[in-house]
Amino acid sequence: MACTDNAMRALFLLALVCAAHAGKDTKESSSAPAKEGGDAKAASGPGGSFDITKLGASGNGKTDSTKAVQEAWTSACGGTGKQTILIPKGDYLVGPLNFTGPCKGDVTIQVDGNLLATTDLSQYKGNWIEILRVDNLVITGKGTLDGQGPAVWSKNSCAKKYDCKILPNSLVLDYVNNGEVSGITLLNSKFFHMNVFQCKDMLIKDVTVTAPGDSPNTDGIHMGDSSGVTIVNTVIGVGDDCISIGPGTSKVNITGVTCGPGHGISIGSLGRYKDEKDVTDINVKDCTLKKTSNGLRIKAYEDAASVLTASKIHYENIKMEDSANPIIIDMKYCPNKICTASGASKVTVKDVSFKNVTGTSSSPEAVSLLCSDKIPCTGVTMDNVKVEYSGTNNKTMAVCKNAKGTATGCLKELACF
């Protein structure tokens, strides 16, 4: 695309905004200046280890420790071989962090303590923790990246207009190859908790992502223009999509994820902007969705600006626990009714399979295939889909428009074909 990386990221973020409720506005308790940083050489232990407390960071949750953390990155990224940044137990208040490569060696960020994002929005030019062009990166530990979103969620206006001011994402990985994020918790992001852009071969495992169900645009993990992303044994409960897979993404494997609250596991939205690329080879297996507002969702704009295809998408062994819209393909996606809903679709959805999808639905419509009359969905297969409406005031049903495929072993109410 003929635009900057930042502009590209902004387009993907804007394409995904959904209706949400604002949180309470609170003030940051303190932003006392950090004490003078230590000596990076003195902070370095055996094997190239940089302890942020030896560089001046204070774990009292009030003192600004940004300088110490940034200095630890500069030293570790500049070292050869295996390098480690240690964030010990404690609460460390930090502003925006920019971890830019390429690095001379392989860097591990060991998060044993908690990083707290400043709530002073004037300090942010973009995201909170942004990692750019770093290969073989590992972020691991039992600590927390706390976005402190409740203090600023009331400033989110994206439910009302597309040209809203985007609040900072918590953890942004741009052009990172062969990376790993494991063990950590992402808490109460101001906007998205994790955004993966133009990355290859990323492993996300044993991660916890948590925010209230009514927090605005707090997607758990979003990815766009990336390939080879694997998400394993991760628990996500947020105010928007648990996982969202944007345009240009391929070879994604999602296994053992628990989602809820949230808007489900989504592909899209697709087609909002020009020059979007295809989505293909997406596999979602052995997952549980609990009380989500959507389940397995593919969403595309009816007035799509791009010609693109979503294909080779497979869902298997998925359990629904009172989720609304457990299976939904929505080719007329129009959040908050602030888009044009009368255009001709340019998005193709084909070769989508649902196998062993069971459990309960909080909406009578357990299956909704709302495809375009101009470009119908094709190659949709449903095998042993048995999701029943849990209420008593209606019956389980399927709503199917312009979809072509086959159904075997499904509840008779859900057999669209």
Side-chain angles (χ1 to χ4, degrees):
M1 289 187 231
C3 57
T4 65
D5 292 344
N6 287 335
M8 291 169 71
R9 286 195 301 273
L11 294 181
F12 283 115
L13 293 175
L14 287 171
L16 289 155
V17 293
C18 305
H21 301 285
K24 294 182 179 180
D25 190 14
T26 59
K27 296 180 70 176
E28 185 174 304
S29 61
S30 174
S31 56
K35 60 185 178 181
E36 289 299 317
D39 181 2
K41 185 176 181 180
S44 177
S49 177
F50 297 88
D51 183 333
I52 64 169
T53 61
K54 295 181 180 179
L55 293 167
S58 174
N60 61 15
K62 298 179 179 180
T63 303
D64 187 344
S65 297
T66 308
K67 182 179 178 182
V69 179
Q70 192 67 55
E71 184 176 344
W73 172 263
T74 300
S75 299
C77 188
T80 58
K82 301 290 185 181
Q83 301 288 323
T84 301
I85 296 170
L86 177 60
I87 300 170
K89 291 183 178 180
D91 297 323
Y92 304 91
L93 178 66
V94 294
L97 297 168
N98 191 321
F99 298 162
T100 299
C103 296
K104 292 182 179 179
D106 298 339
V107 179
T108 293
I109 303 175
Q110 182 68 38
V111 185
D112 295 328
N114 306 318
L115 294 183
L116 312 180
T118 178
T119 58
D120 180 3
L121 293 179
S122 67
Q123 292 191 30
Y124 296 92
K125 294 181 180 179
N127 302 300
W128 177 29
I129 302 172
E130 186 148 3
I131 302 176
L132 177 66
R133 300 187 189 281
V134 179
D135 294 342
N136 306 317
L137 172 75
V138 175
I139 302 173
T140 190
K142 298 299 183 183
T144 298
L145 306 183
D146 185 351
Q148 300 206 99
V152 299
W153 284 333
S154 63
K155 303 182 187 302
N156 184 324
S157 62
C158 294
K160 300 177 181 178
K161 56 184 180 179
Y162 276 124
D163 59 345
C164 59
K165 178 178 175 58
I166 299 295
L167 297 179
N169 299 303
S170 279
L171 177 61
V172 175
L173 305 170
D174 295 336
Y175 301 92
V176 174
N177 300 320
N178 193 35
E180 176 184 317
V181 180
S182 62
I184 66 169
T185 294
L186 291 100
L187 176 68
N188 289 339
S189 178
K190 295 176 177 66
F191 211 70
F192 290 8
H193 285 83
M194 187 186 307
N195 191 34
V196 178
F197 179 72
Q198 287 275 13
C199 295
K200 294 181 180 179
D201 300 326
M202 291 292 304
L203 174 61
I204 300 166
K205 67 176 183 178
D206 303 321
V207 169
T208 301
V209 186
T210 302
D214 62 354
S215 55
N217 305 116
T218 54
D219 290 55
I221 301 170
H222 172 65
M223 64 191 82
D225 275 354
S226 296
S227 65
V229 177
T230 297
I231 304 174
V232 182
N233 297 336
T234 288
V235 178
I236 305 173
V238 291
D240 211 296
D241 291 329
C242 290
I243 298 173
S244 54
I245 300 168
T249 304
S250 63
K251 299 179 181 177
V252 174
N253 288 289
I254 299 168
T255 305
V257 168
T258 299
C259 167
H263 295 181
I265 297 175
S266 297
I267 295 174
S269 52
L270 305 175
R272 180 61 187 170
Y273 296 98
K274 292 182 179 180
D275 303 319
E276 292 182 3
K277 298 177 183 178
D278 294 347
V279 175
T280 188
D281 196 7
I282 311 297
N283 294 280
V284 182
K285 294 183 178 182
D286 303 324
C287 295
T288 301
L289 290 87
K290 300 180 178 181
K291 298 184 182 299
T292 55
S293 59
N294 292 283
L296 309 172
R297 177 166 62 156
I298 301 172
K299 49 183 176 175
Y301 284 87
E302 183 179 15
D303 60 344
S306 291
V307 178
L308 73 153
T309 298
S311 64
K312 297 181 181 178
I313 300 163
H314 181 65
Y315 304 97
E316 184 173 351
N317 299 337
I318 309 297
K319 184 178 181 180
M320 301 290 176
E321 296 182 6
D322 265 354
S323 289
N325 308 307
I327 292 175
I328 178 168
I329 298 177
D330 185 1
M331 303 299 290
K332 297 188 177 184
Y333 179 68
C334 181
N336 314 313
K337 302 186 184 303
I338 52 178
C339 58
T340 302
S342 58
S345 176
K346 298 177 182 177
V347 178
T348 298
V349 175
K350 65 179 184 179
D351 301 332
V352 182
S353 60
F354 302 92
K355 183 177 182 180
N356 299 336
V357 181
T358 60
T360 55
S361 170
S362 63
S363 61
E365 301 86 356
V367 173
S368 298
L369 306 182
L370 309 176
C371 301
S372 167
D373 55 349
K374 304 209 186 288
I375 309 178
C377 302
T378 59
V380 179
T381 62
M382 300 175 63
D383 181 3
N384 193 39
V385 175
K386 296 179 179 178
V387 182
E388 297 188 78
Y389 176 48
S390 59
T392 57
N393 62 338
N394 212 322
K395 62 182 181 179
T396 305
M397 67 180 73
V399 180
C400 307
K401 297 179 180 180
N402 306 308
K404 300 178 181 180
T406 60
T408 56
C410 302
L411 288 179
K412 62 180 182 179
E413 297 89 348
L414 303 182
C416 287
F417 317 109

